[in-house]
Amino acid sequence: MDAKPVVVGVDGGPDSLKALAWAADYASTVGAPVIAIAAVETPAVVGPYAMAGWVDPEVLEDRARTMLADSVRDTLGDEAQVEQTVIRGHPAEAIVTASQDARLVVVGSRGWGGFRGLLMGSVSQHVVSHAHSPVVVLPRHSEDA
């Protein structure tokens, strides 16, 4: 059994849920633990209108924890053995940092943001370029686009 975990980035979108399922399946075949990561990026807001759109970072983290727990439960079931981690910061950097101790990193090709039709989103591109471990990027099937 390899103690190094399989790390998977989860944002609640369909590609990340596919990545979560794939990561759990792979981890079970190699006897590795799974760490699901959600990142909360708190926007820097300055100026007189800053308070108008401001959301407490604690609220954002709570929402991310709920999304992550729901994603794991809905994708893998109630009995899934997955460590769930919410990190403050940019999603790509959070995943790259976690890759330092990982056996493998798994991400979906596209997240919630960005432009339709791109092969990979900015997070998956950054992770592929900077990860300290092998990376699997699950493709979006044409019928999902």
Side-chain angles (χ1 to χ4, degrees):
M1 178 162 155
D2 187 343
K4 288 188 168 193
V6 174
V7 172
V8 58
V10 178
D11 70 359
D15 285 9
S16 75
L17 300 181
K18 186 187 305 183
L20 176 60
W22 193 95
D25 186 53
Y26 173 79
S28 72
T29 65
V30 298
V34 177
I35 300 175
I37 294 178
V40 176
E41 191 169 26
T42 316
V45 185
V46 296
Y49 302 105
M51 294 307 286
W54 183 80
V55 177
D56 183 348
E58 297 296 325
V59 171
L60 293 175
E61 285 185 34
D62 286 344
R63 289 178 186 166
R65 276 188 206 85
T66 299
M67 176 280 299
L68 190 55
D70 291 348
S71 295
V72 169
R73 183 194 65 245
D74 294 348
T75 303
L76 304 176
D78 290 325
E79 303 302 315
Q81 298 293 315
V82 175
E83 180 181 328
Q84 300 175 34
T85 304
V86 174
I87 299 171
R88 280 192 194 180
H90 190 275
E93 288 302 321
I95 295 168
V96 167
T97 298
S99 76
Q100 292 175 348
D101 298 319
R103 171 189 189 100
L104 180 72
V105 170
V106 184
V107 293
S109 59
R110 300 288 300 141
W112 280 115
F115 300 96
R116 292 180 66 97
L118 292 178
L119 291 175
M120 284 198 310
S122 60
V123 171
S124 55
Q125 285 180 348
H126 185 87
V127 170
V128 165
S129 299
H130 296 85
H132 303 279
S133 67
V135 178
V136 171
V137 179
L138 291 170
R140 174 176 282 185
H141 297 317
S142 60
E143 64 268 12
D144 295 336

